[in-house]
Amino acid sequence: QKDFMWTMTFDFATEAAACVPTSTGHVVVDVCAGSGTSAIPIALRASKEQGNQVKVIATDISAGLLAELSSKSSKPEWKMR
């Protein structure tokens, strides 16, 4: 069930991420990022389009959800706080 929900929301978030403008030097902040449903697609798109010139910051009150986001990330340069 969890993987199915992640796939459904990730697909939606990927389309929504296309609406977020990213240019070299931009910083995108995802407040209440949860497990990264929005932050990850934005970071992936920015990485493809701008290299690593866009910083995506994900923040959430739940350390557990941020840990889940971090575990999904394959990019070592992502910094989780």
Side-chain angles (χ1 to χ4, degrees):
Q1 179 71 13
K2 188 174 182 180
D3 290 339
F4 173 75
M5 289 304 296
W6 168 254
T7 301
M8 294 294 291
T9 56
F10 186 81
D11 290 346
F12 172 78
T14 299
E15 289 191 32
C19 298
V20 177
T22 57
S23 295
T24 297
H26 276 181
V27 176
V28 178
V29 179
D30 185 355
V31 179
C32 301
S35 63
T37 304
S38 297
I40 292 173
I42 291 169
L44 291 172
R45 183 174 68 85
S47 179
K48 287 179 187 174
E49 293 177 3
Q50 305 297 329
N52 288 322
Q53 303 302 314
V54 175
K55 180 185 271 189
V56 178
I57 299 171
T59 183
D60 198 282
I61 195 168
S62 170
L65 287 174
L66 288 175
E68 188 175 332
L69 187 159
S70 185
S71 72
K72 291 175 185 174
S73 168
S74 62
K75 301 285 186 185
E77 63 272 9
W78 284 25
K79 295 178 183 174
M80 303 306 304
R81 294 184 197 187

Coordinates of all heavy atoms in Angstrom, one line a residue:
Q1 N 0.8 -1.2 0.0 CA 0.0 0.0 0.0 C 0.9 1.3 0.0 O 0.6 2.2 -0.7 CB -0.9 0.0 1.2 CG -1.8 1.2 1.3 CD -2.9 1.3 0.3 OE1 -3.2 0.3 -0.4 NE2 -3.5 2.4 0.1
K2 N 1.9 1.3 0.8 CA 2.7 2.5 1.0 C 3.4 2.8 -0.4 O 3.5 3.9 -0.8 CB 3.7 2.3 2.1 CG 4.5 3.6 2.4 CD 5.4 3.4 3.6 CE 6.1 4.6 4.0 NZ 6.9 4.5 5.1
D3 N 4.0 1.7 -1.0 CA 4.7 2.0 -2.3 C 3.7 2.5 -3.4 O 4.1 3.3 -4.2 CB 5.4 0.7 -2.8 CG 6.6 0.4 -1.9 OD1 7.1 1.3 -1.2 OD2 7.0 -0.8 -1.9
F4 N 2.5 1.9 -3.4 CA 1.5 2.4 -4.3 C 1.2 3.9 -4.1 O 1.1 4.6 -5.1 CB 0.2 1.5 -4.2 CG -0.9 2.1 -5.0 CD1 -0.9 1.9 -6.4 CD2 -2.0 2.7 -4.5 CE1 -2.0 2.3 -7.2 CE2 -3.0 3.2 -5.2 CZ -3.0 3.0 -6.6
M5 N 1.0 4.2 -2.9 CA 0.6 5.6 -2.6 C 1.8 6.6 -2.9 O 1.6 7.6 -3.5 CB 0.3 5.8 -1.1 CG -1.1 5.2 -0.7 SD -2.4 5.9 -1.7 CE -2.4 7.6 -1.3
W6 N 3.0 6.1 -2.6 CA 4.2 6.9 -3.0 C 4.3 7.1 -4.5 O 4.5 8.2 -5.0 CB 5.5 6.2 -2.5 CG 6.7 6.9 -3.1 CD1 7.5 6.3 -4.1 CD2 7.3 8.2 -2.8 NE1 8.5 7.2 -4.4 CE2 8.4 8.3 -3.6 CE3 6.9 9.2 -1.9 CZ2 9.2 9.5 -3.6 CZ3 7.7 10.3 -1.9 CH2 8.8 10.5 -2.7
T7 N 4.0 6.1 -5.3 CA 4.0 6.1 -6.7 C 3.0 7.1 -7.2 O 3.3 8.0 -8.1 CB 3.8 4.8 -7.4 OG1 4.9 3.9 -6.9 CG2 3.9 4.8 -8.9
M8 N 1.8 7.0 -6.7 CA 0.7 7.9 -7.1 C 1.0 9.4 -6.8 O 0.9 10.2 -7.7 CB -0.6 7.5 -6.5 CG -1.1 6.1 -6.9 SD -1.6 6.1 -8.6 CE -3.0 7.2 -8.6
T9 N 1.5 9.6 -5.6 CA 1.7 11.0 -5.2 C 3.0 11.5 -5.9 O 3.1 12.7 -6.2 CB 1.8 11.2 -3.7 OG1 2.8 10.3 -3.2 CG2 0.5 10.9 -3.0
F10 N 4.0 10.6 -6.1 CA 5.2 11.1 -6.8 C 4.9 11.5 -8.2 O 5.4 12.5 -8.7 CB 6.2 9.9 -6.7 CG 7.6 10.3 -7.2 CD1 8.5 11.1 -6.5 CD2 8.0 10.0 -8.5 CE1 9.7 11.4 -6.9 CE2 9.2 10.4 -9.0 CZ 10.1 11.1 -8.2
D11 N 4.1 10.7 -8.9 CA 3.7 11.1 -10.3 C 3.0 12.4 -10.3 O 3.3 13.3 -11.2 CB 2.8 10.0 -10.9 CG 3.5 8.7 -11.2 OD1 4.7 8.7 -11.1 OD2 2.8 7.7 -11.4
F12 N 2.1 12.7 -9.4 CA 1.4 14.0 -9.3 C 2.4 15.1 -9.0 O 2.4 16.1 -9.6 CB 0.3 13.9 -8.3 CG -0.3 15.3 -8.0 CD1 -1.2 15.8 -8.9 CD2 0.1 16.0 -6.9 CE1 -1.7 17.1 -8.7 CE2 -0.4 17.3 -6.7 CZ -1.4 17.8 -7.6
A13 N 3.3 14.8 -8.0 CA 4.3 15.8 -7.6 C 5.2 16.1 -8.7 O 5.7 17.3 -8.9 CB 5.0 15.3 -6.4
T14 N 5.6 15.1 -9.5 CA 6.5 15.3 -10.7 C 5.9 16.3 -11.7 O 6.5 17.2 -12.2 CB 6.8 14.0 -11.3 OG1 7.5 13.2 -10.4 CG2 7.7 14.2 -12.5
E15 N 4.6 16.2 -11.9 CA 3.9 17.1 -12.8 C 3.8 18.5 -12.2 O 4.0 19.5 -12.8 CB 2.5 16.6 -13.2 CG 2.6 15.4 -14.1 CD 1.3 15.0 -14.7 OE1 0.4 15.9 -14.9 OE2 1.0 13.8 -15.0
A16 N 3.5 18.5 -10.9 CA 3.4 19.8 -10.2 C 4.8 20.5 -10.1 O 4.9 21.7 -10.2 CB 2.9 19.6 -8.8
A17 N 5.9 19.7 -10.0 CA 7.2 20.3 -9.9 C 7.6 21.0 -11.2 O 8.4 22.0 -11.2 CB 8.2 19.2 -9.7
A18 N 7.0 20.7 -12.3 CA 7.2 21.3 -13.6 C 6.8 22.8 -13.5 O 7.2 23.6 -14.3 CB 6.6 20.6 -14.7
C19 N 5.9 23.1 -12.6 CA 5.4 24.5 -12.4 C 6.3 25.4 -11.6 O 6.1 26.6 -11.5 CB 4.0 24.5 -11.8 SG 2.8 23.6 -12.8
V20 N 7.2 24.8 -10.9 CA 8.1 25.5 -10.0 C 9.3 26.0 -10.9 O 10.1 25.2 -11.4 CB 8.6 24.6 -8.8 CG1 9.6 25.4 -8.0 CG2 7.5 24.1 -8.0
P21 N 9.5 27.3 -11.0 CA 10.6 27.8 -11.7 C 12.0 27.6 -11.1 O 12.1 27.8 -9.8 CB 10.3 29.4 -11.8 CG 9.5 29.7 -10.7 CD 8.7 28.4 -10.4
T22 N 12.9 27.0 -11.8 CA 14.2 26.8 -11.3 C 15.2 27.3 -12.3 O 15.2 27.0 -13.4 CB 14.5 25.3 -11.0 OG1 14.3 24.6 -12.2 CG2 13.6 24.8 -9.9
S23 N 16.1 28.2 -11.8 CA 17.2 28.7 -12.6 C 18.4 28.6 -11.8 O 18.4 28.5 -10.5 CB 16.9 30.1 -13.0 OG 15.8 30.2 -13.9
T24 N 19.6 28.7 -12.4 CA 20.8 28.7 -11.7 C 20.8 29.7 -10.6 O 20.4 30.8 -10.8 CB 22.0 28.9 -12.7 OG1 22.0 27.9 -13.6 CG2 23.3 29.0 -11.9
G25 N 21.2 29.2 -9.4 CA 21.3 30.1 -8.2 C 20.0 30.2 -7.4 O 20.0 30.7 -6.3
H26 N 18.9 29.6 -7.9 CA 17.6 29.6 -7.2 C 17.8 28.7 -5.9 O 18.5 27.7 -5.9 CB 16.5 29.1 -8.0 CG 15.9 30.1 -8.8 ND1 14.8 29.9 -9.7 CD2 16.1 31.5 -9.0 CE1 14.4 31.0 -10.3 NE2 15.3 31.9 -9.9
V27 N 17.0 29.0 -4.9 CA 16.8 28.2 -3.7 C 15.3 27.9 -3.6 O 14.5 28.8 -3.6 CB 17.3 28.9 -2.4 CG1 17.1 28.0 -1.2 CG2 18.8 29.2 -2.5
V28 N 15.0 26.6 -3.6 CA 13.6 26.2 -3.4 C 13.5 25.6 -2.0 O 14.2 24.8 -1.7 CB 13.2 25.2 -4.5 CG1 11.8 24.7 -4.3 CG2 13.4 25.7 -5.9
V29 N 12.5 26.2 -1.3 CA 12.3 25.7 0.1 C 10.9 25.0 0.1 O 9.9 25.5 -0.2 CB 12.3 26.8 1.1 CG1 12.1 26.3 2.5 CG2 13.6 27.6 1.0
D30 N 11.0 23.7 0.6 CA 9.7 22.9 0.8 C 9.5 22.9 2.3 O 10.2 22.2 3.0 CB 9.9 21.5 0.2 CG 8.6 20.7 0.3 OD1 7.6 21.2 0.8 OD2 8.7 19.5 -0.3
V31 N 8.5 23.7 2.7 CA 8.1 23.7 4.1 C 7.1 22.6 4.3 O 6.2 22.5 3.5 CB 7.6 25.1 4.5 CG1 7.2 25.1 6.0 CG2 8.7 26.2 4.2
C32 N 7.2 21.9 5.4 CA 6.3 20.7 5.7 C 6.5 19.7 4.6 O 5.6 19.2 4.0 CB 4.8 21.1 5.7 SG 4.4 22.3 7.0
A33 N 7.8 19.4 4.3 CA 8.2 18.5 3.2 C 7.8 17.1 3.4 O 7.7 16.3 2.4 CB 9.7 18.6 3.0
G34 N 7.6 16.7 4.6 CA 7.2 15.3 4.9 C 8.3 14.4 4.4 O 9.5 14.6 4.7
S35 N 7.9 13.3 3.6 CA 8.9 12.4 3.2 C 9.5 12.7 1.8 O 10.1 11.9 1.2 CB 8.2 11.0 3.1 OG 7.2 11.0 2.2
G36 N 9.2 13.9 1.3 CA 9.9 14.4 0.1 C 9.0 14.3 -1.2 O 9.6 14.4 -2.3
T37 N 7.7 14.1 -1.0 CA 6.9 14.0 -2.2 C 7.1 15.1 -3.2 O 7.0 14.9 -4.4 CB 5.4 13.8 -1.8 OG1 5.3 12.7 -0.9 CG2 4.5 13.5 -3.0
S38 N 7.3 16.3 -2.8 CA 7.5 17.4 -3.7 C 8.9 17.8 -3.8 O 9.4 18.1 -4.9 CB 6.7 18.7 -3.1 OG 5.4 18.5 -3.1
A39 N 9.7 17.7 -2.7 CA 11.1 18.1 -2.8 C 11.9 17.3 -3.7 O 12.8 17.8 -4.5 CB 11.7 18.1 -1.4
I40 N 11.7 16.0 -3.7 CA 12.5 15.1 -4.6 C 12.3 15.3 -6.0 O 13.2 15.5 -6.8 CB 12.3 13.6 -4.2 CG1 12.9 13.4 -2.8 CG2 12.9 12.7 -5.2 CD1 12.6 12.0 -2.2
P41 N 11.0 15.4 -6.5 CA 10.8 15.7 -8.0 C 11.4 17.0 -8.4 O 12.0 17.2 -9.5 CB 9.3 15.6 -8.2 CG 8.8 14.8 -7.0 CD 9.7 15.1 -5.9
I42 N 11.3 18.0 -7.5 CA 11.8 19.4 -7.8 C 13.3 19.3 -7.9 O 13.9 19.8 -8.9 CB 11.4 20.4 -6.8 CG1 9.9 20.7 -6.9 CG2 12.2 21.7 -7.0 CD1 9.3 21.5 -5.8
A43 N 14.0 18.6 -7.0 CA 15.4 18.5 -7.0 C 15.9 17.7 -8.2 O 16.9 18.0 -8.9 CB 15.9 17.8 -5.7
L44 N 15.2 16.6 -8.6 CA 15.5 15.8 -9.7 C 15.4 16.6 -11.0 O 16.3 16.6 -11.9 CB 14.7 14.6 -9.8 CG 14.9 13.5 -8.8 CD1 13.8 12.4 -8.9 CD2 16.3 12.9 -8.9
R45 N 14.3 17.4 -11.2 CA 14.2 18.2 -12.4 C 15.2 19.3 -12.4 O 15.8 19.5 -13.5 CB 12.8 18.8 -12.4 CG 12.5 19.6 -13.7 CD 11.1 20.1 -13.8 NE 10.8 21.1 -12.8 CZ 11.1 22.4 -12.9 NH1 11.6 22.9 -14.0 NH2 10.7 23.3 -12.0
A46 N 15.5 20.0 -11.3 CA 16.5 21.0 -11.3 C 17.9 20.5 -11.6 O 18.6 21.1 -12.3 CB 16.5 21.7 -9.9
S47 N 18.1 19.3 -11.1 CA 19.4 18.7 -11.3 C 19.6 18.4 -12.8 O 20.7 18.6 -13.4 CB 19.6 17.4 -10.5 OG 20.8 16.8 -10.8
K48 N 18.6 17.9 -13.5 CA 18.6 17.6 -14.9 C 18.8 18.9 -15.7 O 19.5 18.9 -16.7 CB 17.4 16.8 -15.3 CG 17.4 15.4 -14.9 CD 16.1 14.7 -15.3 CE 16.0 13.3 -14.7 NZ 14.7 12.7 -15.0
E49 N 18.0 19.9 -15.4 CA 18.0 21.1 -16.2 C 19.1 22.1 -15.9 O 19.6 22.8 -16.7 CB 16.6 21.8 -16.0 CG 15.5 21.1 -16.5 CD 14.1 21.7 -16.2 OE1 14.1 22.8 -15.7 OE2 13.1 21.2 -16.6
Q50 N 19.5 22.2 -14.6 CA 20.5 23.2 -14.2 C 21.8 22.6 -13.6 O 22.5 23.3 -13.0 CB 19.8 24.1 -13.1 CG 18.6 24.8 -13.5 CD 18.7 25.7 -14.7 OE1 19.8 26.3 -14.9 NE2 17.7 25.8 -15.6
G51 N 22.0 21.3 -13.7 CA 23.1 20.7 -13.0 C 22.8 20.8 -11.5 O 21.7 20.6 -11.1
N52 N 23.8 21.0 -10.7 CA 23.6 21.1 -9.3 C 23.6 22.6 -8.9 O 24.0 22.9 -7.8 CB 24.6 20.3 -8.5 CG 24.3 18.8 -8.7 OD1 23.2 18.4 -8.7 ND2 25.4 18.1 -8.8
Q53 N 23.1 23.5 -9.7 CA 23.1 24.9 -9.4 C 21.9 25.4 -8.7 O 21.7 26.6 -8.6 CB 23.3 25.7 -10.7 CG 24.6 25.3 -11.5 CD 25.8 25.4 -10.6 OE1 26.0 26.4 -10.0 NE2 26.7 24.4 -10.6
V54 N 20.9 24.5 -8.4 CA 19.7 24.9 -7.7 C 19.7 24.2 -6.3 O 20.0 23.0 -6.3 CB 18.5 24.5 -8.5 CG1 17.2 24.8 -7.6 CG2 18.4 25.3 -9.8
K55 N 19.5 24.9 -5.3 CA 19.5 24.3 -3.9 C 18.0 24.0 -3.5 O 17.2 24.9 -3.6 CB 20.2 25.2 -2.9 CG 20.2 24.6 -1.5 CD 20.7 25.5 -0.5 CE 22.2 25.4 -0.4 NZ 22.8 26.1 0.7
V56 N 17.7 22.8 -3.1 CA 16.4 22.5 -2.6 C 16.5 22.2 -1.2 O 17.3 21.3 -0.8 CB 15.8 21.3 -3.4 CG1 14.4 20.9 -2.8 CG2 15.6 21.6 -4.9
I57 N 15.8 22.9 -0.3 CA 15.8 22.7 1.1 C 14.5 22.1 1.5 O 13.5 22.7 1.2 CB 16.1 24.0 1.8 CG1 17.5 24.6 1.4 CG2 16.0 23.8 3.4 CD1 17.7 26.0 1.9
A58 N 14.5 21.0 2.2 CA 13.3 20.4 2.7 C 13.3 20.5 4.2 O 14.3 20.1 4.9 CB 13.3 18.9 2.3
T59 N 12.2 20.9 4.8 CA 12.1 21.1 6.2 C 10.8 20.5 6.7 O 9.8 20.6 6.0 CB 12.3 22.5 6.7 OG1 12.2 22.6 8.1 CG2 11.2 23.4 6.1
D60 N 10.8 19.9 7.9 CA 9.5 19.4 8.4 C 9.7 19.2 9.9 O 10.8 19.1 10.4 CB 9.2 18.0 7.8 CG 7.8 17.6 8.0 OD1 7.4 17.2 9.1 OD2 7.0 17.7 7.1
I61 N 8.6 19.3 10.7 CA 8.7 19.1 12.1 C 9.0 17.7 12.5 O 9.4 17.4 13.6 CB 7.4 19.6 12.7 CG1 7.6 19.9 14.2 CG2 6.2 18.7 12.4 CD1 6.4 20.6 14.9
S62 N 8.7 16.7 11.6 CA 8.8 15.3 11.9 C 10.2 14.8 11.5 O 10.5 14.7 10.3 CB 7.8 14.5 11.2 OG 8.0 13.1 11.3
A63 N 11.0 14.5 12.5 CA 12.4 13.9 12.2 C 12.2 12.6 11.5 O 13.0 12.2 10.6 CB 13.2 13.7 13.5
G64 N 11.2 11.8 11.8 CA 11.0 10.5 11.1 C 10.7 10.7 9.6 O 11.2 9.9 8.8
L65 N 9.9 11.7 9.3 CA 9.6 11.9 7.8 C 10.8 12.4 7.1 O 11.1 12.0 6.0 CB 8.4 12.8 7.7 CG 7.1 12.3 8.0 CD1 6.0 13.3 7.9 CD2 6.7 11.1 7.1
L66 N 11.6 13.2 7.8 CA 12.8 13.7 7.1 C 13.8 12.6 7.0 O 14.6 12.5 6.0 CB 13.5 14.8 7.9 CG 12.7 16.2 7.9 CD1 13.3 17.2 8.8 CD2 12.7 16.7 6.4
A67 N 13.8 11.6 7.9 CA 14.7 10.5 7.8 C 14.3 9.6 6.6 O 15.1 9.1 5.9 CB 14.7 9.7 9.1
E68 N 13.0 9.5 6.4 CA 12.5 8.8 5.3 C 12.8 9.5 4.0 O 13.3 8.8 3.0 CB 10.9 8.6 5.4 CG 10.3 7.7 4.3 CD 8.8 7.5 4.5 OE1 8.4 7.6 5.7 OE2 8.2 7.3 3.5
L69 N 12.7 10.8 3.9 CA 13.1 11.6 2.8 C 14.6 11.3 2.5 O 15.0 11.1 1.3 CB 12.8 13.0 3.0 CG 13.1 14.0 1.8 CD1 12.3 15.3 2.0 CD2 14.5 14.3 1.6
S70 N 15.4 11.4 3.5 CA 16.8 11.2 3.3 C 17.2 9.8 2.8 O 18.1 9.7 1.9 CB 17.5 11.4 4.7 OG 18.9 11.4 4.5
S71 N 16.4 8.8 3.2 CA 16.7 7.5 2.8 C 16.3 7.3 1.3 O 16.9 6.4 0.6 CB 16.0 6.4 3.6 OG 14.6 6.4 3.4
K72 N 15.4 8.1 0.8 CA 15.0 8.0 -0.6 C 16.0 8.7 -1.5 O 16.0 8.4 -2.7 CB 13.6 8.6 -0.8 CG 12.5 7.9 -0.2 CD 11.2 8.7 -0.3 CE 10.1 8.0 0.4 NZ 8.8 8.8 0.4
S73 N 16.7 9.6 -0.9 CA 17.6 10.4 -1.7 C 18.9 9.6 -2.1 O 19.5 9.0 -1.2 CB 18.0 11.6 -0.9 OG 19.1 12.3 -1.6
S74 N 19.3 9.6 -3.3 CA 20.5 9.0 -3.7 C 21.6 10.0 -4.0 O 22.7 9.6 -4.4 CB 20.3 8.2 -5.0 OG 19.9 9.1 -6.1
K75 N 21.3 11.3 -3.7 CA 22.3 12.3 -3.9 C 23.0 12.6 -2.6 O 22.5 13.1 -1.7 CB 21.6 13.6 -4.4 CG 20.8 13.4 -5.7 CD 21.8 13.3 -6.8 CE 21.0 13.2 -8.2 NZ 21.9 13.0 -9.3
P76 N 24.3 12.4 -2.5 CA 25.1 12.6 -1.3 C 25.2 14.1 -0.9 O 25.4 14.4 0.2 CB 26.5 12.0 -1.6 CG 26.6 12.0 -3.0 CD 25.2 11.8 -3.6
E77 N 25.0 15.0 -1.9 CA 25.1 16.4 -1.6 C 23.9 17.0 -1.0 O 23.9 18.2 -0.6 CB 25.5 17.2 -2.8 CG 24.5 17.2 -4.0 CD 24.7 16.0 -4.9 OE1 25.5 15.1 -4.7 OE2 24.0 16.0 -6.0
W78 N 22.8 16.2 -0.9 CA 21.6 16.7 -0.2 C 21.9 16.8 1.3 O 22.5 15.9 1.9 CB 20.5 15.7 -0.4 CG 19.8 15.8 -1.7 CD1 20.4 16.2 -2.9 CD2 18.5 15.4 -2.0 NE1 19.5 16.0 -3.9 CE2 18.3 15.6 -3.4 CE3 17.5 14.9 -1.2 CZ2 17.1 15.2 -4.0 CZ3 16.3 14.6 -1.9 CH2 16.1 14.8 -3.2
K79 N 21.6 17.9 1.9 CA 21.8 18.1 3.3 C 20.5 18.1 4.1 O 19.7 19.0 3.8 CB 22.6 19.4 3.5 CG 24.0 19.4 2.9 CD 24.7 20.7 3.1 CE 26.0 20.7 2.4 NZ 26.7 21.9 2.4
M80 N 20.3 17.2 5.0 CA 19.1 17.2 5.7 C 19.4 17.7 7.1 O 20.3 17.3 7.8 CB 18.6 15.7 5.8 CG 18.4 15.1 4.5 SD 17.3 16.0 3.4 CE 15.9 16.1 4.4
R81 N 18.5 18.5 7.6 CA 18.6 19.0 9.0 C 17.3 18.8 9.7 O 16.3 18.9 9.2 CB 18.9 20.5 9.0 CG 20.3 20.8 8.5 CD 20.6 22.2 8.6 NE 21.7 22.5 7.7 CZ 22.3 23.6 7.6 NH1 21.9 24.6 8.4 NH2 23.3 23.8 6.8

